[in-house]
Amino acid sequence: MFDHLKPQAQDSILALIQMFRDDPRPGKIDLGVGVYKDASGLTPVMRAVKAAERQLWETERSKTYTGLAGEPAFHAAMADLILGGSVPVDRIAAVATPGGTGAIRQALELISLASPGATIWLPDPTWPNHPSIIAYLGLPMRTYRYFDAETCGVDFDGLIADLAQVRPGDVVLVHGCCHNPTGANPNPVEWAALADLLAAKGAVPLVDLAYQGFGEGLDADAAATRLIAARCPEVLIAASCSKNFGIYRERTGILLALGSPAQRATVQGSLAWLNRQNYSFPPDHGARLVTMILQDADLRADWQAELDEIRRSMLGLRTALAQELRRITGSDRFGFIAQHRGMFSRLGLTPAQVETLRRDHAIYMVGDSRINIAGLNAATVPLLAQAIAATEA
Ligand code: LMR
């Protein structure tokens, strides 16, 4: 049997982690995988997470199974965090999943169950695991224009022109905030126009929300998702707690499926059934910590404060890098870095430049020139700017 297996193509982001680990050079800089790092290079356990873990250790009496869809308290707390009351609760079905990728996977499984012929529209570019999972499931897929390579902003006219071809029932994947890999995001007026278009087309939006709180703040980052949820009758939202709670390895995510109150019970039953088929019960530890933090006023306030520190530190690094590049190159060519939001910016460098940065400067970024802003610190910002300028010469 195993003789029939073919070698699988490596995921570009995960392959980079290994290359970085294998590089013996002492001053190497990792701007690859989307993991927050503080100025010392540590991905810290957030204070509120530590406090909740301590409480849980003292109070947890049993580790028996949760519900098949996860705990209703987790669903309610996350639905509130994401939707902020913009949608009546009787529209919301929810299922806990292993991380945001698990939520994407379960969303695609639900689509495949309900409407296997639906085309799934992806922004070009998007996170590489999106097309990879869709191809694996054998679902029809198309792309829509998203990124303007000239300005390194959103090609909104191209996006609208391409999505004009969406048919009723097609699924349109959008990044709710902090677009991965580009860091370029629609403005509020563009989001409203996009939500109107999706509603008018009868599309089912699939919102990937992996960075809530990393862009402008928790509510501002959820604004587009809330708008879409209020305007479109059927919406899927795949959310991750990996980044904004810093619990990457706990695999904590949720899929929200919004329909009509009459559809809710069947959608909820289908989500629980899909969990049973794929892995039975979802992981609980991270979901429980998130619930405790969101339900406790003090823990929640401390979590929000730390998340805000993280967001501000990334914004500071963006501004510093844009300024340093302006100083060194004497041009505003990289001014977009300060306008982008979230962990990532696509710098618009060529593959040859990305390779030179890795080979000659031990600076690691994804091949499409996506950098993780949080991989920088005050000392490495000038090093990166110098190295980029050298490859431009
Ligand atoms: C990233 O894009 O770097 C993160 O979302 C991590 C991952 O799984 O790719």
Side-chain angles (χ1 to χ4, degrees), residues 11 13-14 32-35 101 127-129 180 211 243 344 370:
D11 180 279
I13 298 169
L14 303 188
V33 70
V35 168
T101 308
W127 183 51
N129 218 14
N180 180 7
Y211 297 93
K243 327 274 169 166
F344 305 117
R370 183 194 86 169

Side-chain angles (χ1 to χ4, degrees), residues 57-98:
W57 183 81
E58 280 163 4
T59 56
E60 191 172 50
R61 294 280 164 266
S62 171
K63 286 194 184 286
T64 187
Y65 291 124
T66 61
L68 195 49
E71 291 289 350
F74 176 63
H75 302 166
M78 285 299 291
D80 184 57
L81 181 71
I82 295 164
L83 295 168
S86 59
V87 167
V89 287
D90 60 1
R91 282 191 60 200
I92 307 173
V95 70
T97 57

Side-chain angles (χ1 to χ4, degrees), residues 2 21 28 41 82 110 142 226 252 254 287 296 320 331 387-389 393:
F2 296 154
R21 284 189 185 147
K28 59 187 178 177
I82 295 164
L110 190 74
R142 289 184 67 177
R226 292 173 188 175
T252 307
I254 192 162
D296 180 290
S331 96
I388 291 172

Side-chain angles (χ1 to χ4, degrees), residues 21 30 64 143 189 216 227 253 272 277 336 381:
R21 284 189 185 147
D30 178 13
T64 187
T143 58
V189 174
E216 305 280 0
L227 195 68
Q277 307 319 304
F336 61 83
V381 163

Side-chain angles (χ1 to χ4, degrees), residues 145-184:
R145 274 172 282 172
Y146 185 84
F147 190 63
D148 181 336
E150 281 297 309
T151 63
C152 289
V154 175
D155 175 5
F156 197 69
D157 291 342
L159 174 152
I160 291 290
D162 288 351
L163 291 182
Q165 300 167 53
V166 163
R167 291 165 311 175
D170 279 359
V171 175
V172 178
L173 188 144
V174 297
H175 296 235
C177 64
C178 307
H179 182 265
N180 180 7
T182 66

Side-chain angles (χ1 to χ4, degrees), residues 122-383:
L122 297 176
D124 179 18
T126 193
W127 183 51
N129 218 14
H130 288 148
S132 173
I133 301 173
I134 293 168
Y136 174 61
L137 292 175
L139 302 174
M141 152 172 72
R142 289 184 67 177
T143 58
Y144 61 89
R145 274 172 282 172
Y146 185 84
F147 190 63
D148 181 336
E150 281 297 309
T151 63
C152 289
V154 175
D155 175 5
F156 197 69
D157 291 342
L159 174 152
I160 291 290
D162 288 351
L163 291 182
Q165 300 167 53
V166 163
R167 291 165 311 175
D170 279 359
V171 175
V172 178
L173 188 144
V174 297
H175 296 235
C177 64
C178 307
H179 182 265
N180 180 7
T182 66
N185 302 287
N187 64 37
V189 174
E190 291 170 339
W191 271 122
L194 175 55
D196 283 346
L197 179 71
L198 295 173
K201 287 284 169 193
V204 179
L206 165 53
V207 183
D208 186 346
L209 193 64
Y211 297 93
Q212 188 185 356
F214 271 32
E216 305 280 0
L218 280 170
D219 284 325
D221 290 349
T225 305
R226 292 173 188 175
L227 195 68
I228 289 169
R231 294 223 180 138
C232 298
E234 295 185 353
V235 180
L236 293 160
I237 303 166
S240 170
C241 301
S242 298
K243 327 274 169 166
N244 53 8
F245 287 86
I247 50 173
Y248 305 83
R249 66 174 67 159
E250 301 298 352
R251 310 313 298 140
T252 307
I254 192 162
L255 173 62
L256 304 178
L258 315 180
S260 70
Q263 292 170 323
R264 207 199 78 87
T266 308
V267 177
Q268 184 62 49
S270 301
L271 292 175
W273 180 83
L274 282 172
N275 262 13
R276 183 65 168 160
Q277 307 319 304
N278 284 324
Y279 39 76
S280 212
F281 299 87
D284 179 68
H285 184 72
R288 200 161 288 265
L289 299 176
V290 166
T291 310
M292 291 168 74
I293 292 167
L294 292 177
Q295 284 180 343
D296 180 290
D298 290 342
L299 289 180
R300 188 176 180 133
D302 191 39
W303 167 66
Q304 279 189 211
E306 191 169 1
L307 183 58
D308 230 38
E309 287 161 29
I310 288 171
R311 185 177 64 78
R312 273 200 257 267
S313 113
M314 288 189 293
L315 263 175
L317 289 164
R318 283 190 176 286
T319 314
L321 181 60
Q323 278 171 357
E324 190 65 5
L325 279 161
R326 188 175 304 123
R327 197 182 66 75
I328 296 173
T329 63
S331 96
D332 254 345
R333 167 157 146 44
F334 291 99
F336 61 83
I337 296 172
Q339 309 306 321
H340 286 170
R341 285 295 177 273
M343 299 199 92
F344 305 117
S345 269
R346 178 187 268 205
L347 298 181
L349 306 179
T350 64
Q353 285 177 293
V354 172
E355 173 58 22
T356 303
L357 287 167
R358 186 161 57 227
R359 193 189 55 230
D360 298 350
H361 303 272
I363 295 174
Y364 284 72
M365 63 183 69
V366 182
D368 63 1
S369 75
R370 183 194 86 169
I371 59 166
N372 170 14
I373 289 285
L376 291 167
N377 59 38
T380 55
V381 163
L383 298 178

